[in-house]
Amino acid sequence: DTAVSQTPKYLVTQMGNDKSIKCEQNLGHDTMYWYKQDSKKFLKIMFSYNNKELIINETVPNRFSPKSPDKAHLNLHINSLELGDSAVYFCASSLSGVGEQYFGPGTRLTVT
Amino acid sequence: ELKVEQNPLFLSMQEGKNYTIYCNYSTTSDRLYWYRQDPGKSLESLFVLLSNGAVKQEGRLMASLDTKARLSTLHITAAVHDLSATYFCAVVPPGTASKLTFGTGTRLQVTL
């Protein structure tokens, strides 16, 4: 009964490949987020969806495309992976975009 | 652009000692959060501070907020080894729909 779950936990792939990361929350929240944590532990928001609508879209390469099929799910698809995409990607969720954010376990992406 | 700075970046302290982590931010904010991250793990919410003068305590940790000074502190009392982790503050500027901007993080190491 994990609150915010992500799959996969680890992802190792080669440059140029396309990959997806999935996120699901069972907290009944209506807002979901993607964050990237780089090798220096710096955390930066990438995207946010509220009720399946994109509300935050930071300066992220358009190789990254989020998709929210419903309020409980937010996926991240990455095309043409580059070495610099290697990082830990965290999904989070909150209620009504103003509540406390709950984070998933993270997906460690390594691009070789 | 909102900037959030923490200091120190790294803190090594002995068990039983007290210390304070500082979080400065550059613009007004609706609310401020403190998170804890253990190595290789997700982010765990510690405190949410909503107004000037807010003070919250949990165990050996106490957080406070001074919105006029744009400063939050996380005070550690009588540190124990279990508190070793990285601590992040995060700020939400007004009208930005929960767009968390994270500080640089403070890596705390408590030694025996």
Side-chain angles (χ1 to χ4, degrees), chain A residues 71-101:
Chain A
K71 286 195 305 184
H73 296 84
L74 180 62
N75 304 323
L76 183 66
H77 187 75
I78 315 168
N79 289 326
S80 303
L81 278 154
E82 300 177 358
L83 292 176
D85 298 332
S86 295
V88 180
Y89 292 85
F90 286 100
C91 175
S93 72
S94 71
L95 191 59
S96 300
V98 295
E100 190 175 346
Q101 293 185 24

Side-chain angles (χ1 to χ4, degrees), chain A residues 5-21:
Chain A
S5 59
Q6 293 178 230
T7 53
K9 191 167 172 61
Y10 300 97
L11 186 52
V12 181
T13 188
Q14 291 184 324
M15 284 175 56
N17 285 347
D18 303 338
K19 290 292 177 186
S20 292
I21 306 172

